Amino acid sequence: MKSIKFAVLGIDHRHIYGMAQGMVDAGCIFAGFYTDGTPQTMAGFLKRFPHVQGYKNAYDMLRDDSIDLILIASPPYKRAELSVLSMQHGKDVMVDKPGCLTIDQLNQIKATIDKTNRIWSVNFSERFEVPAMTVVDDLLRQNRIGKVVHILSVAPHRLNADTRPDWFWQPHTYGGILTDIGTHQIDQFYHLTGADDMHISYASVGNFNTPEHPQFEDFAEMHFVSGDVQGYVRLDWYTPDAAPNWGDGRLTILGTEGYIEVRKYMDIGGQDGTDHIFLVDNTECSRWDASNAGTPYFQNLANDVRNRTQTACTQHHTLRVMELSITEQQRAEKRGYLKT
């Protein structure tokens, strides 16, 4: 079986730690990295991967015919250009979210995929890197809660304002709250409903607590619809200092015969650790630790690169999630300081 070699292009977001480690754990060979300058994430990257060598420039990396897959975690406004460039050099791509910021960029990516037949995968880490979501998929396949009717998702994040680079605060370099953390929620709803498509009936963004950055969005909400299934999402950057993790992310899936709740990163007032699942149906009311359930995305992506398949996430799904997030970011109602 062919060994997959990957390299990293841009380490400007901490998500690159999990992206790279996931591919290493899937048995892939870490060939090297290149990043512009010395981002704040450099120390953490080198601590985790001390033996990985750096390339002198991006083109030396892209011209290396032994590399199959490029991982991209550059500033968001550069990700579309680097994705296109990587695919044009015959590489498949895994990119941190947001994968791109505008519809024009998305169209360039689509055209490049069609021309090169390369894989472009956005790492929706709130699903792909959460073991509890592996168990949720199994429970839904078993029809444990009947027909899904509603999905509720709350996604708080810690701002850590002092550590954020300048690009984080500007819409033209960062994108916005819906193209960033909102993509996770769109991806989850789309995936969990198992639908061919979905739409967003309402979206709003606001700045209520960050007046020093008047264009930054620190709160948002969206309403989803897919056939008979509806959903609500709340996003915010308000995680308080006493919280033991960066966000108390929760997901509740309501069915006609029960419900599932996932407390992804913490269980306040309950058990320690991550990946807590609660199931209530007609025969069982239980909770369990799903932290050892595994995250198949990375192994599936390695297999897709090797076999030219789409088992990690279909290309249609990835592109549609990005299209929805970008469109809603543009049309969302503005509140708070954003109105001034």
Side-chain angles (χ1 to χ4, degrees), residues 198-336:
M198 60 171 285
H199 73 273
I200 300 173
S201 59
Y202 174 77
S204 70
V205 296
N207 179 330
F208 301 109
N209 197 44
T210 324
E212 65 275 22
H213 299 288
Q215 294 182 292
F216 180 72
E217 299 154 359
D218 58 26
F219 181 89
E221 60 180 351
M222 291 184 283
H223 295 257
F224 298 152
V225 180
S226 179
D228 292 332
V229 188
Q230 299 181 70
Y232 173 80
V233 167
R234 189 201 79 212
L235 309 165
D236 69 73
W237 287 99
Y238 301 150
T239 294
D241 290 342
N245 209 319
W246 54 266
D248 185 12
R250 300 195 183 200
L251 179 70
T252 301
I253 307 166
L254 175 66
T256 54
E257 299 176 25
Y259 62 90
I260 301 165
E261 182 180 350
V262 185
R263 301 180 188 179
K264 293 182 177 181
Y265 312 113
M266 67 178 82
D267 180 21
I268 55 172
Q271 297 181 358
D272 293 337
T274 62
D275 297 278
H276 308 274
I277 289 188
F278 300 79
L279 170 67
V280 183
D281 63 12
N282 291 324
T283 61
E284 183 177 351
C285 180
S286 62
R287 62 177 294 164
W288 63 88
D289 176 0
S291 59
N292 293 319
T295 52
Y297 166 76
F298 297 100
Q299 185 62 65
N300 288 340
L301 182 60
N303 293 339
D304 290 341
V305 171
R306 185 180 294 113
N307 302 322
R308 313 317 299 165
T309 50
Q310 297 186 34
T311 61
C313 187
T314 68
Q315 195 67 87
H316 170 78
H317 177 102
T318 301
L319 294 169
R320 182 59 174 149
V321 170
M322 289 310 308
E323 180 182 24
L324 286 166
S325 67
I326 292 168
T327 301
E328 293 309 312
Q329 182 68 61
Q330 294 172 344
R331 80 178 187 96
E333 179 182 338
K334 292 179 170 54
R335 297 176 174 176

Side-chain angles (χ1 to χ4, degrees), residues 74-176:
S74 63
Y77 69 98
K78 296 182 179 180
R79 292 175 189 171
E81 178 184 1
L82 294 177
S83 292
V84 168
L85 192 62
S86 298
M87 289 187 284
Q88 289 173 339
H89 280 80
K91 318 299 185 188
D92 294 316
V93 172
M94 184 217 296
V95 60
D96 186 18
K97 58 80 205 156
C100 57
L101 302 185
T102 69
I103 292 297
D104 284 344
Q105 290 177 348
L106 185 62
N107 287 337
Q108 291 174 29
I109 289 167
K110 288 180 179 179
T112 306
I113 292 169
D114 290 341
K115 184 175 181 179
T116 64
N117 198 32
R118 294 294 94 193
I119 297 168
W120 186 71
S121 184
V122 176
N123 178 25
F124 302 121
S125 56
E126 289 193 31
R127 178 162 68 96
F128 295 155
E129 296 188 29
V130 175
M133 296 305 295
T134 303
V135 176
V136 168
D137 283 344
D138 289 339
L139 292 172
L140 293 179
R141 279 193 290 267
Q142 297 168 24
N143 197 36
R144 290 295 298 272
I145 61 171
K147 177 181 171 58
V148 175
V149 174
H150 189 272
I151 297 174
L152 170 66
S153 180
V154 293
H157 284 61
R158 193 188 301 278
L159 187 58
N160 287 329
D162 293 343
T163 69
R164 299 293 179 176
D166 291 342
W167 56 256
F168 180 76
W169 306 107
Q170 302 299 323
H172 68 283
T173 53
Y174 167 65

Side-chain angles (χ1 to χ4, degrees), residues 6 17-29 49 295 298-299 302:
F6 74 94
Y17 306 156
M19 292 163 64
Q21 189 61 56
M23 298 312 299
V24 170
D25 292 344
C28 300
I29 300 169
F49 309 104
T295 52
F298 297 100
Q299 185 62 65

